[in-house]
Amino acid sequence: MSQGSTSEAASTADSSWFVQDRFGLFIHWGLYSMGARHEWLMHNEQIPVETYENRYFKRFDPDLYDPKLWAQAAGDAGMKYFVITTKHHDGFCLWDSEHTDYKVTHTPHGKCLLTPMIQAFRERGMRTGLYHSLLDWHHPDYVIDEFHGPYARLPKEKRDELNRGRDQKRYAAYLHAQTRELLTKFGQVDVLWYDFSFKRENNLGKGRDDWQSEELVKLIRQLQPKVMLTDRLDLNDQPIDFKTPEQTQPRGWVTVNGQKVVWEACQTLSDSWGYHRGEQNYRTVEQLLQTLIDCVSKGGNLLLNVGPTARGEIDERALDRLSGIGRWMKRHARSIYGCTAAPDDIQTPEHSRLTYNPTTKRLYVHLFSWPYKFMHLDGLAGRVEYAQLLNDGSEVGMGVDSWHASHMHQGANPSNTLSLRLPLTRPDVAVPVVELFLK
Ligand code: GLC
């Protein structure tokens, strides 16, 4: 079971910490937090550049911004790294870039947002990830297409008109120049989260030629050889550092050409990534923890997103979820950190997920529903020394007596199946976990 044996052998990226740490915070923050109705509002409502600037850019002033509080909330939730949107599709930059005026230092806030954020998270021992949008609906050289952006729904002639004088190569040069900044101004960057390509047939959409991806990767590897890079640069025939399923959970360990690879699911608390005032459909702490556990049980990570408000706070609904997650992580983190999928010869019982720490040889059974007295684990008979509930370290009995065995429809097969005797009362935690000490 080697987590490192992936197809990215040719990459210089360091994934060793990534496959141990397992849990990170995604932060989507920018001008769209003022609109408070989805980070794509510029596209969704076809808001022209000038209107967007006049409404939001001229007024952006997160006066309550205190990244120490964010880092604390993430650290208390058990997160080990964070990824911040340096620039989203609307083109607005959260740092004092030399290559544009469309940046936070030219808003009423007037100060770089990234430097204090990175510092605050580093002080809490968390690693740094930078998200950067390949799309840019603001840049004057970015060629307008029919897929996204404020002008995507205009008739073709209109778009052609607006495209006169635009030069995607110049835009790519801007992208590269900003990449150089991001990788030289902020110390060690552990994750570079490029988003996204959309190449279609007949040369439609945008992909590697539009971003000059190959050159870009060379630059990245040269500036920060260890950084972990997403798979969204349209270079899928080349080594990648990690796959990034989004808004969906993969059904098993993510593979490329039949090989298990490093992967990270990125998921939202509700529907949007950016702050959304009206969304009521927040996931529960239990659902979110089940998602984290599901990732680790399939050999992957979870990057869980928050969208801070225009005034610079993580709102109560999100904080509530983070603190609930932290309450569980305090007692169950060792079923997450350093863990991966269980060995193939151990079957996952129903309504549960297994994670495994190959170093300590402990197997964790996460119970998504509480069984009636017994839980049967096929393939584990004779392989477990001791079992306990992880929340309180209380012993869990093993084996099934003959009276109960005779009443089980299919019986437990003692030569193959380990039966755990669980207490009647389900522990009062979001997801109960049984820790098994393997021989
Ligand atoms: C998508 C969306 C976006 C979000 C991202 C996160 O590509 O465009 O808004 O930032 O996914 O993975």
Side-chain angles (χ1 to χ4, degrees):
M1 172 114 320
S2 69
Q3 307 175 57
S5 66
T6 70
S7 65
E8 97 279 24
S11 160
T12 52
D14 176 12
S15 64
S16 60
W17 65 272
F18 191 77
V19 299
Q20 298 286 319
D21 286 0
R22 293 302 187 203
F23 191 24
L25 178 72
F26 213 169
I27 305 173
H28 275 69
W29 198 33
L31 299 180
Y32 45 79
S33 59
M34 298 175 73
R37 51 184 190 274
H38 204 282
E39 75 284 356
W40 275 60
L41 87 163
M42 191 180 190
H43 163 92
N44 292 344
E45 300 171 22
Q46 297 286 285
I47 305 173
V49 166
E50 269 182 47
T51 313
Y52 196 85
E53 282 184 2
N54 284 330
R55 271 192 218 161
Y56 307 130
F57 179 68
K58 289 197 176 154
R59 301 196 174 90
F60 186 69
D61 190 10
D63 58 325
L64 300 177
Y65 175 50
D66 180 354
K68 289 201 171 87
L69 297 177
W70 297 12
Q72 189 183 336
D76 290 350
M79 289 154 162
K80 297 277 202 181
Y81 59 102
F82 82 110
V83 178
I84 172 70
T85 49
T86 57
K87 176 192 89 166
H88 204 257
H89 310 331
D90 66 2
F92 176 67
C93 297
L94 267 57
W95 81 103
D96 190 15
S97 173
E98 284 163 31
H99 307 287
T100 182
D101 289 334
Y102 202 49
K103 55 183 175 183
V104 63
T105 43
H106 286 191
T107 66
H109 183 70
K111 288 171 291 217
C112 173
L113 296 171
L114 288 193
T115 304
M117 196 185 309
I118 292 170
Q119 193 186 341
F121 280 82
R122 277 201 190 123
E123 273 167 16
R124 297 217 30 137
M126 272 175 268
R127 291 188 182 252
T128 302
L130 304 180
Y131 167 107
H132 196 71
S133 174
L134 298 166
L135 289 69
D136 194 317
W137 302 332
H138 183 273
H139 196 276
D141 277 317
Y142 184 89
V143 172
I144 296 163
D145 57 58
E146 74 256 55
F147 298 101
H148 326 106
Y151 311 116
R153 289 180 212 141
L154 290 178
K156 186 174 179 322
E157 313 80 71
K158 280 267 176 229
R159 276 189 277 114
D160 288 347
E161 217 171 279
L162 289 174
N163 270 332
R164 223 164 285 144
R166 285 176 186 253
D167 179 348
Q168 188 70 24
K169 283 247 152 50
R170 272 202 310 254
Y171 170 71
Y174 171 71
L175 176 66
H176 292 210
Q178 289 204 319
T179 298
R180 182 179 283 283
E181 272 187 341
L182 291 172
L183 293 178
T184 49
K185 283 194 165 188
F186 301 101
Q188 184 182 319
V189 178
D190 302 291
V191 176
L192 203 47
W193 223 104
Y194 276 87
D195 184 36
F196 61 83
S197 299
F198 49 103
K199 200 72 204 161
R200 307 280 157 85
E201 271 167 32
N202 302 326
N203 211 28
L204 293 175
K206 289 191 174 62
R208 58 164 76 192
D209 294 339
D210 304 280
W211 325 127
Q212 298 286 302
S213 294
E214 270 149 294
E215 287 305 308
L216 187 62
V217 172
K218 270 187 212 148
L219 177 70
I220 293 165
R221 300 286 186 222
Q222 174 212 324
L223 294 174
Q224 297 237 12
K226 287 182 172 180
V227 75
M228 292 282 289
L229 190 57
T230 46
D231 60 335
R232 298 186 175 196
L233 282 154
D234 188 30
L235 290 172
N236 284 344
D237 51 340
Q238 292 186 20
I240 52 137
D241 297 334
F242 65 109
K243 297 293 284 178
T244 57
E246 156 184 346
Q247 297 284 17
T248 177
Q249 285 294 106
R251 296 183 62 192
W253 195 315
V254 176
T255 59
V256 174
N257 300 326
Q259 293 247 34
K260 290 175 178 171
V261 294
V262 177
W263 66 274
E264 173 198 71
C266 51
Q267 308 294 20
T268 43
L269 297 179
S270 51
D271 271 329
S272 304
W273 299 86
Y275 175 67
H276 195 305
R277 182 175 58 202
E279 269 176 3
Q280 299 300 331
N281 52 357
Y282 274 63
R283 292 181 173 83
T284 63
V285 169
E286 184 183 334
Q287 285 174 315
L288 296 165
L289 282 168
Q290 289 186 353
T291 307
L292 170 62
I293 294 159
D294 187 59
C295 287
V296 181
S297 78
K298 293 165 180 167
N301 288 22
L302 174 65
L303 187 64
L304 187 62
N305 181 73
V306 298
T309 69
R311 293 194 65 188
E313 291 188 291
I314 302 180
D315 87 324
E316 284 303 325
R317 296 166 296 185
L319 284 178
D320 172 72
R321 301 315 186 274
L322 292 184
S323 69
I325 289 170
R327 210 171 304 129
W328 185 86
M329 285 294 279
K330 180 178 172 201
R331 301 186 180 85
H332 300 88
R334 70 178 193 245
S335 76
I336 301 295
Y337 303 144
C339 288
T340 183
D344 289 338
D345 59 345
I346 301 175
Q347 281 176 39
T348 306
E350 51 180 6
H351 308 306
S352 67
R353 294 288 184 283
L354 301 177
T355 65
Y356 178 63
N357 185 319
T359 312
T360 61
K361 289 206 173 54
R362 293 194 195 171
L363 181 72
Y364 297 94
V365 190
H366 300 79
L367 299 162
F368 288 5
S369 78
W370 194 242
Y372 192 94
K373 198 172 284 180
F374 290 107
M375 154 142 261
H376 307 289
L377 292 145
D378 293 324
L380 274 182
R383 291 171 70 181
V384 177
E385 276 172 354
Y386 185 75
Q388 64 182 10
L389 286 175
L390 190 51
N391 60 294
D392 63 357
S394 62
E395 183 172 9
V396 168
M398 295 192 285
V400 57
D401 54 85
S402 53
W403 188 86
H404 278 103
S406 69
H407 284 78
M408 278 172 203
H409 179 56
Q410 298 212 283
N413 170 8
S415 63
N416 182 45
T417 306
L418 170 75
S419 298
L420 298 175
R421 293 196 299 277
L422 295 167
L424 198 118
T425 309
R426 178 191 182 280
D428 187 18
V429 294
V431 181
V433 180
V434 181
E435 182 176 45
L436 301 173
F437 296 61
L438 300 198
K439 287 181 183 162

PDB file of all heavy atoms in Angstrom, residues 358-374:
ATOM      1  N   PRO A 358      -0.717   2.842   8.377  1.00  0.00           N
ATOM      2  CA  PRO A 358       0.251   1.773   8.119  1.00  0.00           C
ATOM      3  C   PRO A 358       1.422   1.789   9.099  1.00  0.00           C
ATOM      4  O   PRO A 358       2.063   0.768   9.301  1.00  0.00           O
ATOM      5  CB  PRO A 358       0.750   2.058   6.697  1.00  0.00           C
ATOM      6  CG  PRO A 358      -0.009   3.227   6.196  1.00  0.00           C
ATOM      7  CD  PRO A 358      -0.759   3.853   7.313  1.00  0.00           C
ATOM      8  N   THR A 359       1.705   2.933   9.698  1.00  0.00           N
ATOM      9  CA  THR A 359       2.836   3.010  10.625  1.00  0.00           C
ATOM     10  C   THR A 359       2.485   2.395  11.975  1.00  0.00           C
ATOM     11  O   THR A 359       3.239   1.604  12.528  1.00  0.00           O
ATOM     12  CB  THR A 359       3.265   4.489  10.824  1.00  0.00           C
ATOM     13  OG1 THR A 359       3.380   5.090   9.539  1.00  0.00           O
ATOM     14  CG2 THR A 359       4.572   4.587  11.572  1.00  0.00           C
ATOM     15  N   THR A 360       1.314   2.763  12.501  1.00  0.00           N
ATOM     16  CA  THR A 360       0.931   2.237  13.822  1.00  0.00           C
ATOM     17  C   THR A 360       0.174   0.923  13.693  1.00  0.00           C
ATOM     18  O   THR A 360      -0.141   0.294  14.702  1.00  0.00           O
ATOM     19  CB  THR A 360       0.038   3.251  14.562  1.00  0.00           C
ATOM     20  OG1 THR A 360      -1.153   3.449  13.783  1.00  0.00           O
ATOM     21  CG2 THR A 360       0.729   4.593  14.742  1.00  0.00           C
ATOM     22  N   LYS A 361      -0.160   0.551  12.468  1.00  0.00           N
ATOM     23  CA  LYS A 361      -0.949  -0.665  12.195  1.00  0.00           C
ATOM     24  C   LYS A 361      -2.289  -0.630  12.924  1.00  0.00           C
ATOM     25  O   LYS A 361      -2.709  -1.621  13.514  1.00  0.00           O
ATOM     26  CB  LYS A 361      -0.171  -1.914  12.600  1.00  0.00           C
ATOM     27  CG  LYS A 361       1.009  -2.240  11.695  1.00  0.00           C
ATOM     28  CD  LYS A 361       1.259  -3.734  11.784  1.00  0.00           C
ATOM     29  CE  LYS A 361       2.303  -4.258  10.825  1.00  0.00           C
ATOM     30  NZ  LYS A 361       3.590  -3.555  10.904  1.00  0.00           N
ATOM     31  N   ARG A 362      -2.910   0.500  12.930  1.00  0.00           N
ATOM     32  CA  ARG A 362      -4.243   0.563  13.525  1.00  0.00           C
ATOM     33  C   ARG A 362      -5.289   0.789  12.434  1.00  0.00           C
ATOM     34  O   ARG A 362      -5.064   1.567  11.501  1.00  0.00           O
ATOM     35  CB  ARG A 362      -4.310   1.676  14.560  1.00  0.00           C
ATOM     36  CG  ARG A 362      -3.418   1.341  15.739  1.00  0.00           C
ATOM     37  CD  ARG A 362      -3.699   2.205  16.914  1.00  0.00           C
ATOM     38  NE  ARG A 362      -2.591   2.080  17.862  1.00  0.00           N
ATOM     39  CZ  ARG A 362      -2.444   2.837  18.938  1.00  0.00           C
ATOM     40  NH1 ARG A 362      -3.347   3.765  19.205  1.00  0.00           N
ATOM     41  NH2 ARG A 362      -1.413   2.675  19.738  1.00  0.00           N
ATOM     42  N   LEU A 363      -6.391   0.112  12.628  1.00  0.00           N
ATOM     43  CA  LEU A 363      -7.485   0.193  11.662  1.00  0.00           C
ATOM     44  C   LEU A 363      -8.649   0.909  12.342  1.00  0.00           C
ATOM     45  O   LEU A 363      -8.945   0.628  13.504  1.00  0.00           O
ATOM     46  CB  LEU A 363      -7.890  -1.224  11.258  1.00  0.00           C
ATOM     47  CG  LEU A 363      -9.009  -1.345  10.228  1.00  0.00           C
ATOM     48  CD1 LEU A 363      -8.519  -0.922   8.848  1.00  0.00           C
ATOM     49  CD2 LEU A 363      -9.515  -2.786  10.167  1.00  0.00           C
ATOM     50  N   TYR A 364      -9.283   1.816  11.620  1.00  0.00           N
ATOM     51  CA  TYR A 364     -10.363   2.594  12.212  1.00  0.00           C
ATOM     52  C   TYR A 364     -11.675   2.313  11.496  1.00  0.00           C
ATOM     53  O   TYR A 364     -11.764   2.475  10.276  1.00  0.00           O
ATOM     54  CB  TYR A 364     -10.020   4.085  12.136  1.00  0.00           C
ATOM     55  CG  TYR A 364      -8.782   4.402  12.943  1.00  0.00           C
ATOM     56  CD1 TYR A 364      -7.527   4.439  12.347  1.00  0.00           C
ATOM     57  CD2 TYR A 364      -8.870   4.610  14.317  1.00  0.00           C
ATOM     58  CE1 TYR A 364      -6.387   4.682  13.083  1.00  0.00           C
ATOM     59  CE2 TYR A 364      -7.734   4.863  15.072  1.00  0.00           C
ATOM     60  CZ  TYR A 364      -6.489   4.898  14.450  1.00  0.00           C
ATOM     61  OH  TYR A 364      -5.356   5.131  15.195  1.00  0.00           O
ATOM     62  N   VAL A 365     -12.655   1.899  12.273  1.00  0.00           N
ATOM     63  CA  VAL A 365     -13.978   1.642  11.709  1.00  0.00           C
ATOM     64  C   VAL A 365     -14.861   2.834  12.075  1.00  0.00           C
ATOM     65  O   VAL A 365     -15.143   3.068  13.260  1.00  0.00           O
ATOM     66  CB  VAL A 365     -14.601   0.351  12.293  1.00  0.00           C
ATOM     67  CG1 VAL A 365     -15.855  -0.019  11.515  1.00  0.00           C
ATOM     68  CG2 VAL A 365     -13.601  -0.786  12.302  1.00  0.00           C
ATOM     69  N   HIS A 366     -15.258   3.583  11.067  1.00  0.00           N
ATOM     70  CA  HIS A 366     -16.123   4.757  11.288  1.00  0.00           C
ATOM     71  C   HIS A 366     -17.559   4.329  11.060  1.00  0.00           C
ATOM     72  O   HIS A 366     -17.918   3.915   9.957  1.00  0.00           O
ATOM     73  CB  HIS A 366     -15.761   5.880  10.310  1.00  0.00           C
ATOM     74  CG  HIS A 366     -14.349   6.348  10.457  1.00  0.00           C
ATOM     75  ND1 HIS A 366     -13.277   5.670   9.924  1.00  0.00           N
ATOM     76  CD2 HIS A 366     -13.831   7.422  11.086  1.00  0.00           C
ATOM     77  CE1 HIS A 366     -12.157   6.311  10.219  1.00  0.00           C
ATOM     78  NE2 HIS A 366     -12.466   7.384  10.925  1.00  0.00           N
ATOM     79  N   LEU A 367     -18.364   4.432  12.080  1.00  0.00           N
ATOM     80  CA  LEU A 367     -19.731   3.908  12.020  1.00  0.00           C
ATOM     81  C   LEU A 367     -20.714   5.008  11.649  1.00  0.00           C
ATOM     82  O   LEU A 367     -21.035   5.864  12.463  1.00  0.00           O
ATOM     83  CB  LEU A 367     -20.083   3.288  13.370  1.00  0.00           C
ATOM     84  CG  LEU A 367     -19.169   2.109  13.751  1.00  0.00           C
ATOM     85  CD1 LEU A 367     -19.236   1.807  15.236  1.00  0.00           C
ATOM     86  CD2 LEU A 367     -19.547   0.887  12.941  1.00  0.00           C
ATOM     87  N   PHE A 368     -21.161   4.980  10.402  1.00  0.00           N
ATOM     88  CA  PHE A 368     -22.105   6.008   9.926  1.00  0.00           C
ATOM     89  C   PHE A 368     -23.516   5.732  10.431  1.00  0.00           C
ATOM     90  O   PHE A 368     -24.384   6.590  10.378  1.00  0.00           O
ATOM     91  CB  PHE A 368     -22.077   6.087   8.391  1.00  0.00           C
ATOM     92  CG  PHE A 368     -20.812   6.704   7.837  1.00  0.00           C
ATOM     93  CD1 PHE A 368     -19.748   7.049   8.659  1.00  0.00           C
ATOM     94  CD2 PHE A 368     -20.684   6.967   6.473  1.00  0.00           C
ATOM     95  CE1 PHE A 368     -18.583   7.627   8.152  1.00  0.00           C
ATOM     96  CE2 PHE A 368     -19.526   7.552   5.947  1.00  0.00           C
ATOM     97  CZ  PHE A 368     -18.475   7.871   6.787  1.00  0.00           C
ATOM     98  N   SER A 369     -23.776   4.499  10.875  1.00  0.00           N
ATOM     99  CA  SER A 369     -25.001   4.256  11.635  1.00  0.00           C
ATOM    100  C   SER A 369     -24.622   3.276  12.741  1.00  0.00           C
ATOM    101  O   SER A 369     -23.634   2.547  12.630  1.00  0.00           O
ATOM    102  CB  SER A 369     -26.112   3.708  10.744  1.00  0.00           C
ATOM    103  OG  SER A 369     -25.907   2.338  10.503  1.00  0.00           O
ATOM    104  N   TRP A 370     -25.389   3.282  13.810  1.00  0.00           N
ATOM    105  CA  TRP A 370     -25.003   2.484  14.979  1.00  0.00           C
ATOM    106  C   TRP A 370     -25.600   1.090  14.874  1.00  0.00           C
ATOM    107  O   TRP A 370     -26.814   0.941  14.809  1.00  0.00           O
ATOM    108  CB  TRP A 370     -25.493   3.183  16.250  1.00  0.00           C
ATOM    109  CG  TRP A 370     -24.881   2.632  17.505  1.00  0.00           C
ATOM    110  CD1 TRP A 370     -25.532   2.038  18.541  1.00  0.00           C
ATOM    111  CD2 TRP A 370     -23.485   2.640  17.849  1.00  0.00           C
ATOM    112  NE1 TRP A 370     -24.637   1.663  19.505  1.00  0.00           N
ATOM    113  CE2 TRP A 370     -23.362   2.023  19.115  1.00  0.00           C
ATOM    114  CE3 TRP A 370     -22.318   3.091  17.214  1.00  0.00           C
ATOM    115  CZ2 TRP A 370     -22.145   1.851  19.757  1.00  0.00           C
ATOM    116  CZ3 TRP A 370     -21.106   2.924  17.857  1.00  0.00           C
ATOM    117  CH2 TRP A 370     -21.027   2.312  19.113  1.00  0.00           C
ATOM    118  N   PRO A 371     -24.770   0.065  14.838  1.00  0.00           N
ATOM    119  CA  PRO A 371     -25.279  -1.295  14.629  1.00  0.00           C
ATOM    120  C   PRO A 371     -26.032  -1.820  15.853  1.00  0.00           C
ATOM    121  O   PRO A 371     -25.882  -1.303  16.954  1.00  0.00           O
ATOM    122  CB  PRO A 371     -24.004  -2.122  14.410  1.00  0.00           C
ATOM    123  CG  PRO A 371     -22.878  -1.172  14.337  1.00  0.00           C
ATOM    124  CD  PRO A 371     -23.308   0.103  14.977  1.00  0.00           C
ATOM    125  N   TYR A 372     -26.802  -2.855  15.619  1.00  0.00           N
ATOM    126  CA  TYR A 372     -27.543  -3.502  16.697  1.00  0.00           C
ATOM    127  C   TYR A 372     -26.621  -4.524  17.371  1.00  0.00           C
ATOM    128  O   TYR A 372     -26.434  -5.633  16.893  1.00  0.00           O
ATOM    129  CB  TYR A 372     -28.791  -4.198  16.142  1.00  0.00           C
ATOM    130  CG  TYR A 372     -29.758  -4.632  17.218  1.00  0.00           C
ATOM    131  CD1 TYR A 372     -30.817  -3.810  17.591  1.00  0.00           C
ATOM    132  CD2 TYR A 372     -29.603  -5.858  17.856  1.00  0.00           C
ATOM    133  CE1 TYR A 372     -31.692  -4.201  18.593  1.00  0.00           C
ATOM    134  CE2 TYR A 372     -30.477  -6.244  18.851  1.00  0.00           C
ATOM    135  CZ  TYR A 372     -31.517  -5.419  19.216  1.00  0.00           C
ATOM    136  OH  TYR A 372     -32.389  -5.798  20.201  1.00  0.00           O
ATOM    137  N   LYS A 373     -25.969  -4.102  18.399  1.00  0.00           N
ATOM    138  CA  LYS A 373     -25.119  -4.953  19.240  1.00  0.00           C
ATOM    139  C   LYS A 373     -23.813  -5.423  18.581  1.00  0.00           C
ATOM    140  O   LYS A 373     -22.747  -5.194  19.109  1.00  0.00           O
ATOM    141  CB  LYS A 373     -25.909  -6.159  19.735  1.00  0.00           C
ATOM    142  CG  LYS A 373     -25.261  -6.840  20.933  1.00  0.00           C
ATOM    143  CD  LYS A 373     -26.152  -7.912  21.542  1.00  0.00           C
ATOM    144  CE  LYS A 373     -27.274  -7.317  22.369  1.00  0.00           C
ATOM    145  NZ  LYS A 373     -28.155  -8.299  22.960  1.00  0.00           N
ATOM    146  N   PHE A 374     -23.909  -6.084  17.433  1.00  0.00           N
ATOM    147  CA  PHE A 374     -22.683  -6.630  16.829  1.00  0.00           C
ATOM    148  C   PHE A 374     -22.311  -5.910  15.542  1.00  0.00           C
ATOM    149  O   PHE A 374     -23.179  -5.480  14.788  1.00  0.00           O
ATOM    150  CB  PHE A 374     -22.851  -8.112  16.483  1.00  0.00           C
ATOM    151  CG  PHE A 374     -22.934  -8.992  17.695  1.00  0.00           C
ATOM    152  CD1 PHE A 374     -24.146  -9.560  18.063  1.00  0.00           C
ATOM    153  CD2 PHE A 374     -21.822  -9.240  18.480  1.00  0.00           C
ATOM    154  CE1 PHE A 374     -24.228 -10.365  19.193  1.00  0.00           C
ATOM    155  CE2 PHE A 374     -21.901 -10.046  19.612  1.00  0.00           C
ATOM    156  CZ  PHE A 374     -23.111 -10.606  19.965  1.00  0.00           C
TER     157      PHE A 374
END
